[in-house]
Amino acid sequence: MMHKVLIDCDPGHDDATAILYAARHLDLVGVTTVYGNQSVDKTTANALSILTLLGLDIPVARGCDRPLNGIFRHGGDVHGKTGIDGAELPAPARGPVDAHAVDFIIDTAKQHRGELVLCPIGPFTNVALALRKEPQLARWLRGISVMGGTTQIGNTTPVAEFNVWSDPEAADIVFRSDIPLWMVGLNVTRQVGLCEQDVARLSEGGRVARVFGGLFGFFRNQLREIHGLDTASLHDPCALVPFIAPDLITYRQAPVEIELGQGPARGMTVCDFRNLTTRKLENIKPRAPANCSVAVEVEGRALVEHILAAILGWPDHAPAAAAVPSPV
């Protein structure tokens, strides 16, 4: 039986791939949107256009346009003015549902009690507000699988990853929720990326694959110029891997806390992998109980091929997108 999944996202090149990957292998029951890679107006339009491209009739609910505390700063420097530059997407065939993303998350979890996995792959604001609004949500969800954080260096600050850094207070609510939690961070997702040859394979495929080839041609060039990377990272699909191909990512149980201070460590995911003895050690804070399964290893090339197969195998009966420009 396929897992039921709701994706909370900010499309975004890798978010678009996560939507396709989930729709190929799981029961994708809905998509909610949040600010992040661009404004929530743009990320909502992008989600609707991606679903139109894929020929999918899946409800989309528009969510929050800013973090719980602080100022919204989008990721347009990486993802472009639209939030998903590199290809012309079709105009959305439908609009978002009337419900706000927060209420949509609550209602969907209530409808699928004990079955639904929530996958936040953008800033965690919608999810945090849903947990605040409905105390039963933590009991209704089967689990939460996030793309966010890192056990190593960050991409927004030296220690913070963008999704967590965008709203650390919201991330803190999620990580303290006592819901079964999976976290895949930059330490793993940067090992899962499309190289020049992979982008060429997409660009030589069918209509949907060619659109993704254009998207990832742009995304790869941006990451090379800004971060010095040679591949287009497939961050967000990695959050779905425990429910699709669990042997490809190794997780380790650990306590994870979110740094909420206003200093240079704000937004850091503090993962405690220490193996402390039971002997009391003076001036050493004891290890807290594990609250998260943290991704520590990945079969990177095998996962890239698995995701590519989903894109290249997507049927082309969906409405045609406009012409895909050559990658910049």
Side-chain angles (χ1 to χ4, degrees), residues 38-274:
Q38 261 294 350
S39 68
V40 72
D41 288 338
K42 290 183 178 180
T43 62
T44 303
N46 293 343
L48 293 166
S49 289
I50 287 294
L51 291 171
T52 298
L53 171 71
L54 301 179
L56 296 174
D57 185 10
I58 292 172
V60 173
R62 182 185 184 276
C64 296
D65 63 358
R66 66 194 67 188
L68 299 180
N69 297 303
I71 301 170
F72 162 50
R73 299 179 178 88
H74 65 68
D77 55 337
V78 175
H79 292 273
K81 292 181 179 180
T82 66
I84 194 166
D85 285 7
E88 294 290 335
L89 297 175
R94 63 189 62 83
V97 299
D98 290 337
H100 190 279
V102 170
D103 296 314
F104 186 87
I105 289 169
I106 293 169
D107 292 343
T108 306
K110 185 176 182 180
Q111 180 182 353
H112 301 290
R113 296 184 191 189
E115 298 181 303
L116 185 68
V117 177
L118 181 58
C119 289
I121 54 178
F124 301 119
T125 313
N126 289 335
V127 181
L129 287 175
L131 288 166
R132 276 184 175 178
K133 184 172 184 177
E134 177 50 79
Q136 296 299 316
L137 180 59
R139 187 170 59 86
W140 293 340
L141 287 172
R142 179 181 174 189
I144 297 179
S145 184
V146 311
M147 189 282 125
T150 180
T151 66
Q152 299 173 0
I153 63 173
N155 61 352
T156 305
T157 75
V159 295
E161 175 274 335
F162 178 79
N163 288 341
V164 175
W165 174 86
S166 293
D167 195 344
E169 285 75 20
D172 181 65
I173 291 171
V174 173
F175 276 79
R176 292 181 183 275
S177 66
D178 291 328
I179 300 170
L181 188 65
W182 294 263
M183 167 188 144
V184 59
L186 294 177
N187 54 297
V188 161
T189 62
R190 276 189 166 167
Q191 300 178 56
V192 186
L194 300 180
C195 65
E196 183 178 5
Q197 291 77 16
D198 297 326
V199 173
R201 286 169 63 188
L202 291 174
S203 299
E204 295 168 0
R207 182 192 308 131
V208 170
R210 292 196 303 273
V211 171
F212 276 84
L215 294 177
F216 279 106
F218 173 88
F219 191 40
R220 179 172 172 268
N221 283 340
Q222 293 297 101
L223 290 175
R224 184 170 60 242
E225 292 178 8
I226 296 170
H227 293 291
L229 303 177
D230 192 47
T231 60
S233 302
L234 294 169
H235 302 294
D236 292 338
C238 293
L240 301 162
V241 170
F243 318 102
I244 297 174
D247 292 341
L248 296 182
I249 295 182
T250 300
Y251 286 80
R252 182 176 170 187
Q253 287 285 316
V256 179
E257 296 183 75
I258 309 299
E259 173 56 47
L260 301 179
Q262 296 300 321
R266 179 171 171 80
M268 180 181 183
T269 41
V270 183
C271 304
D272 190 350
F273 292 123
R274 296 177 297 169

Side-chain angles (χ1 to χ4, degrees), residues 278-296:
T278 56
R279 182 170 59 90
K280 292 183 179 179
L281 301 175
E282 188 177 358
N283 298 325
I284 294 181
K285 182 181 178 181
R287 189 174 187 267
N291 63 337
C292 187
S293 296
V294 181
V296 292

